[in-house]
Each structure stands twice: as structure tokens, then as C-alpha cells.
Amino acid sequence: MIDLNKHKLELTYPCSWKYKIVILETMNVKYISKDIFGDREHSIKESNVSKKGKFKSYNIELIVHNDDDRTELHKLLGEHKDIKMVL
């Protein structure tokens, strides 16, 4: 068994961080990102489309200022009603 505490991610903040989200193809990713990030600067790039075309994934990149900021954004993305998955 791997002890995850031994392999804690060490980052120097502030730094650029990427999240990958999966949403229904019919959802507007810009609306979703505005809902979560507000006026905070970020970039969105389309990544993949599912085989049947029902889902799309996007890479979202922005500057995170500390570990709490990074994990809080992941939490907000994961809790958003229109986001199916966050990686």
C-alpha cells in the first residue's frame, strides 16, 4: 500500500494550474466558468468529445495562489450542477 502522505505534492505558489472538466455537449462552458471563476482570469480549451458526442471535456488553466485556493476551486468545480467530472 502506498502512503500518500509521503508523496505530498510540493508546489511553489503562485503557479499555473490546470483542471479538466467534463460537461454535457449542450452546456455552455463559458457560462459555467463565469459562474465559478467570475472575473478571475483563466483560459478554456476544448479537449475531447465522447464517442457518441454526448459529453465534451475542456482544459481550464489559471493561476492558483496557494494550496487552499487550488483545492477550493477543485471543490467548486466538482459541486457545480452542470459539471459531470473534474480531473
Side-chain angles (χ1 to χ4, degrees):
M1 184 179 223
I2 297 174
D3 183 358
L4 296 177
N5 291 327
K6 285 185 179 180
H7 301 289
K8 184 172 171 143
L9 186 61
E10 291 185 29
L11 299 170
T12 302
Y13 292 102
C15 67
S16 180
W17 193 258
K18 290 182 184 177
Y19 300 94
K20 182 177 286 249
I21 61 168
V22 177
I23 63 174
L24 285 171
E25 186 275 330
T26 56
M27 294 283 108
N28 183 330
V29 72
K30 291 187 182 201
Y31 168 78
I32 294 168
S33 67
K34 180 80 170 169
D35 199 25
I36 293 170
F37 303 116
D39 292 332
R40 187 170 176 170
E41 190 173 323
H42 61 282
S43 66
I44 304 169
K45 293 185 180 142
E46 189 172 323
S47 182
N48 294 313
V49 178
S50 64
K51 284 183 182 180
K52 294 183 180 178
K54 185 175 180 181
F55 297 98
K56 279 188 177 180
S57 64
Y58 294 87
N59 294 317
I60 298 175
E61 186 170 358
L62 71 159
I63 299 296
V64 292
H65 301 285
N66 54 50
D67 197 54
D68 289 339
D69 188 29
R70 182 178 58 82
T71 55
E72 180 65 17
L73 289 171
H74 188 276
K75 179 180 168 232
L76 290 171
L77 289 164
E79 292 174 348
H80 195 279
K81 63 182 178 57
D82 294 328
I83 296 176
K84 300 301 178 193
M85 187 183 307
V86 181
L87 304 171

